[in-house]
Amino acid sequence: MSKYDESSTGSQLTYAAGYILSLALTITAFLLVRKHVDSHHLFPTDNFMLAALSALAIIQLFVQLIFFMHLDRESKPRWNNLALGLAAIVVFILVGGSIWIMSNLGYHHSGYGTTHDGHHLTSPSQETQYIIQDEGVHQ
Amino acid sequence: MSTQERQAAESKTLFGFWVYLMTDCVLFASLFATFAVLRFNTNGGPTGEDLFNLSFVFKETFILLTSSFACGLGILAARQGNKRLCLSMFGLTFALGLAFLGLELHEFNKLYNDGDSWRRSGFLSAFFTLVGTHGAHITAGLIWMGTMMLRVVQQGLTTNNIKRLTMLSLFWHFLDIVWIFIFTVVYLMGLVL
């Protein structure tokens, strides 16, 4: 009776599967953080947590794109997927680039900053000198 | 218009809406980038670890995820022509969305009253901007959803209404995906580092 193509919307089953998978991924992330906080940041380690949380979020992104938004069922030509791919590239450059550049400029922060080998700089002129050397700027 | 022409026009509308969602995605990306850059700039104020409560965030996440699921069942019912089920599912989605917004405003209010407003530090400015923009989207979605439910009650599940409900459900799923990244990057990673 439906005027719409069933194949592009999925069924109760796909939505339920997406819901349960998302819930499982969310609960895993929360349990990991709870364990991490309870162990006073010792186990699992900080780096492991960052990697695991990022991975869980990205898996959940795909779960929801496929089970809730049915991106895998788009018929050709796949314009929606193309737009999504383009957005993903922009997001990657925007977020990745910002973090990269700003952490590279990290020695501007906290007082007059620190050198790569951990010496604290004590004056603005010292800092300027260090940055000129470090960045290879010629005056 | 023939059925084929109507379907072609409809898929164009949906594609246009999808492109809007992608630009919204870029908006959120710039706010995420800002947050990532400013998150350690607490200016002697509280850090994420001092402010965030794991079970509170889990509650918010669970509510929003469930509302996304209910929204999916709602659009499915709409396409099967089941008006009552469609309205009750979107009603559930609306109620859960409202509950989510209530929790978020409660958190904002508490932070503000404790002196931890957006003026306190770069970290908090970025936090309020990112999470607040998501909250503003949720508010807009709720207004849209209320309007659509009214239209469905009055006009029934017409082709036009189903098309609009489809866009609304895409919008709502999109907001759920943005929230996945907010709870991961802002709250969970805020408690880790």
Side-chain angles (χ1 to χ4, degrees), chain B residues 77-119:
Chain B
R79 292 189 171 216
Q80 286 160 353
N82 190 338
K83 183 172 157 183
R84 249 185 66 189
L85 185 62
C86 167
L87 279 173
S88 47
M89 278 302 146
F90 273 102
L92 181 63
T93 311
F94 186 88
L96 289 168
L98 208 61
F100 173 85
L101 195 64
L103 284 177
E104 197 161 274
L105 288 175
H106 171 76
E107 185 189 27
F108 280 7
N109 191 40
K110 189 176 176 303
L111 287 174
Y112 186 85
N113 287 330
D114 292 347
D116 302 323
S117 77
W118 48 91
R119 293 177 175 182

Side-chain angles (χ1 to χ4, degrees), chain B:
Chain B
M1 249 200 290
S2 74
T3 318
Q4 228 171 8
E5 280 171 336
R6 205 180 52 224
Q7 278 180 351
E10 185 183 305
S11 82
K12 261 187 212 164
T13 313
L14 285 178
F15 176 64
F17 190 74
W18 181 257
V19 172
Y20 153 69
L21 285 184
M22 293 303 104
T23 59
D24 223 19
C25 192
V26 174
L27 165 76
F28 277 108
S30 57
L31 296 177
F32 271 107
T34 313
F35 180 82
V37 166
L38 290 176
R39 56 169 294 205
F40 296 110
N41 300 11
T42 51
N43 190 26
T47 61
E49 201 179 348
D50 304 327
L51 297 176
F52 303 144
N53 177 333
L54 198 56
S55 50
F56 183 82
V57 183
F58 182 74
K59 221 186 299 173
E60 281 183 302
T61 308
F62 179 69
I63 288 173
L64 199 63
L65 182 61
T66 309
S67 88
S68 200
F69 177 50
C71 175
L73 295 183
I75 193 67
L76 214 57
R79 292 189 171 216
Q80 286 160 353
N82 190 338
K83 183 172 157 183
R84 249 185 66 189
L85 185 62
C86 167
L87 279 173
S88 47
M89 278 302 146
F90 273 102
L92 181 63
T93 311
F94 186 88
L96 289 168
L98 208 61
F100 173 85
L101 195 64
L103 284 177
E104 197 161 274
L105 288 175
H106 171 76
E107 185 189 27
F108 280 7
N109 191 40
K110 189 176 176 303
L111 287 174
Y112 186 85
N113 287 330
D114 292 347
D116 302 323
S117 77
W118 48 91
R119 293 177 175 182
R120 183 64 189 83
S121 64
F123 156 65
L124 280 164
S125 300
F127 167 81
F128 273 100
T129 313
L130 174 58
V131 182
T133 305
H134 180 264
H137 277 73
I138 292 280
T139 311
L142 286 175
I143 294 170
W144 187 8
M145 208 178 291
T147 322
M148 277 318 298
M149 287 196 295
L150 220 62
R151 281 178 69 100
V152 171
V153 168
Q154 285 171 346
Q155 307 167 348
L157 290 168
T158 61
T159 316
N160 211 356
N161 279 347
I162 294 180
K163 183 179 78 186
R164 290 174 185 194
L165 283 175
T166 307
M167 290 192 283
L168 175 61
S169 73
L170 279 179
F171 185 67
W172 203 253
H173 293 317
F174 168 75
L175 290 183
D176 192 37
I177 291 181
V178 173
W179 180 256
I180 295 169
F181 285 92
I182 291 184
F183 86 67
T184 302
V185 173
V186 176
Y187 292 97
L188 297 186
M189 289 184 179
L191 285 164
V192 168
L193 284 186

